[in-house]
């Protein structure tokens, strides 16, 4: 019912790729709760001035009324001409909070104060300097894997007096990839007998000899972090080790126990991918109708996780 009302009242349809420019027809203006109380107070003051013939009362009522009417124009102009476009959204695991980032551009040579971006119950307040472009993050919980859209967003302002609310409603095309949640206590990785290329030995990242430092990745084990470098004010780095590695791991959907359902299989494969990445071994992923060749590293890990997230997925869902 809410979606049908939004589509009829605010002319909402499919997610918009952007940029979305806030023109006159996209901005709505109504009194706020404080504005309604203010209007009632003015009516009472006007009646009292008429009853008692108070000239100064008339002047005060008309002065305050003019300020209230002028705030309508200022609130409307605070949104007029803004340009909105979808920003980046980093992948998350199911159950984590996704951060949808909307890029707001102020092409006008005037300041835009007291703006608020709202997604569900989450609000982010910000303001824009003249000619500034700002990336505004809005957080939303995730409940299922796959592609998640933020859904209905609201950009609003109560500037300058809080008496008038000006707002716009839009649905940006800003999908976020939600990976399956990893299994809490997964079994060990498949034994070497199930690995590809068994018996080959090569110098690959392992746990034997220190080989240097590299930029920290999210999947890295905390015990490999270069804490001394971080304590001295340096960047977050991870220690690399070289050693003898076995063959390439094959993480195969078909080799999982038959009693596991689809989500349980995806959860276990996710945990195994993270463990394989931490171990420094090369690994391949095989799903029904999808295969990822053996590899290692941040990009390979996220390519495999994306395949798990999109396995059998239908239409993107809204994050809220």
């Amino acid at each position: 019912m809410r979606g049908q009302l939004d589509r009829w009242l605010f002319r909402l349809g499919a997610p918009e790729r952007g940029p979305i420019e806030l023109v006159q027809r996209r901005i709505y203006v109504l009194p706020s709760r404080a504005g309604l109380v203010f209007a009632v107070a003015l009516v009472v003051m006007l009646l009292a001035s008429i009853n008692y013939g108070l000239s100064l009362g008339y002047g005060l009522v008309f002065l305050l009324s003019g300020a209230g009417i002028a705030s309508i124009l200022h609130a409307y102009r605070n949104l007029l001409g803004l340009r909105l476009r979808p920003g980046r959204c980093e992948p998350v695991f199911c159950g984590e909070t996704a951060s949808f980032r909307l890029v707001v551009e102020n092409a006008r040579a005037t300041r835009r104060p007291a703006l608020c971006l709202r997604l569900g119950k989450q609000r982010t307040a910000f303001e824009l300097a003249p000619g500034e472009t700002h990336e505004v993050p809005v957080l939303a919980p995730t409940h299922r894997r796959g592609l998640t859209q933020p859904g209905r967003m609201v950009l609003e302002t109560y500037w300058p007096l809080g008496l008038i609310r000006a707002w716009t409603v839009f649905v940006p095309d800003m999908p976020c990839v939600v990976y399956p949640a990893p299994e809490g206590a997964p079994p060990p990785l498949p034994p070497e007998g199930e690995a590809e290329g068994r018996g080959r030995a090569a110098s690959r990242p392992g746990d034997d000899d220190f080989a240097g430092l590299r930029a920290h990745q999210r999947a890295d084990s905390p015990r490999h972090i270069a804490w001394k470098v971080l304590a001295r004010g340096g960047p977050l780095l991870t220690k690399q080790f070289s050693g003898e590695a076995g063959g390439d791991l094959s993480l195969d959907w078909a080799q999982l126990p038959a009693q596991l359902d689809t989500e349980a299989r995806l959860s276990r494969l996710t945990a195994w991918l993270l463990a394989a990445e931490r171990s420094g071994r090369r690994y391949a992923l095989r799903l029904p109708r999808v295969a990822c060749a053996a590899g290692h590293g941040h990009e390979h890990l996220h390519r495999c996780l994306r395949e798990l997230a999109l396995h059998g997925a239908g239409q993107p869902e809204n994050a809220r």
Side-chain angles (χ1 to χ4, degrees), residues 138-212:
V138 181
L139 304 180
T142 57
H143 305 290
R144 55 179 292 185
R145 65 177 176 86
L147 288 179
T148 297
Q149 292 277 9
R152 178 181 185 269
M153 282 188 172
V154 177
L155 180 63
E156 61 185 1
T157 182
Y158 290 86
W159 191 80
L161 302 177
L163 304 177
I164 301 297
R165 178 188 181 228
W167 79 99
T168 185
V169 182
F170 56 98
V171 181
D173 186 15
M174 194 163 36
C176 175
V177 180
V178 181
Y179 300 146
E183 187 175 1
L189 288 169
E192 291 187 6
E194 299 179 18
E196 295 179 350
R198 181 177 50 173
R200 292 180 301 166
S203 178
R204 296 196 184 109
D207 293 321
D208 295 331
D209 301 321
F210 179 71

Side-chain angles (χ1 to χ4, degrees), residues 57-74:
Y58 286 119
L60 180 61
V61 169
F62 296 149
L63 177 63
L64 294 178
S65 300
I69 294 173
S71 69
I72 299 175
L73 177 62
H74 285 286

Side-chain angles (χ1 to χ4, degrees), residues 96-129:
E96 294 181 343
T97 300
S99 177
F100 295 96
R101 296 179 177 272
L102 186 76
V103 179
V104 185
E105 178 184 354
N106 176 22
R108 209 166 62 191
T110 55
R111 187 171 66 100
R112 308 287 189 121
L115 299 173
C116 180
L117 183 63
R118 181 159 55 87
L119 175 61
K121 295 182 180 180
Q122 297 292 330
R123 297 172 178 265
T124 303
F126 65 101
E127 66 175 50
L128 295 172

Side-chain angles (χ1 to χ4, degrees), residues 215-281:
H216 179 71
Q217 298 175 359
R218 182 175 179 179
D220 292 340
S221 171
R223 65 189 180 90
H224 290 166
I225 295 177
W227 295 110
K228 292 183 179 180
V229 176
L230 185 63
R232 291 195 296 265
L236 187 60
L237 300 174
T238 297
K239 299 177 183 177
Q240 280 187 305
F241 298 88
S242 61
E244 292 299 314
D248 297 341
L249 281 174
S250 177
L251 306 179
D252 195 337
W253 172 283
Q255 298 299 324
L256 294 174
Q259 65 270 22
L260 295 180
D261 61 15
T262 298
E263 296 305 320
R265 288 170 181 252
L266 294 174
S267 181
R268 178 163 298 182
L269 288 173
T270 299
W272 276 356
L273 284 174
L274 297 176
E277 180 68 25
R278 288 193 298 267
S279 72
R281 300 175 61 182

Side-chain angles (χ1 to χ4, degrees), residues 5-22:
L5 181 62
D6 281 349
R7 286 192 292 271
W8 174 77
L9 186 60
F10 301 113
R11 302 182 181 90
L12 297 182
E16 301 178 74
R17 292 185 177 274
I20 303 170
E21 185 169 359
L22 300 187

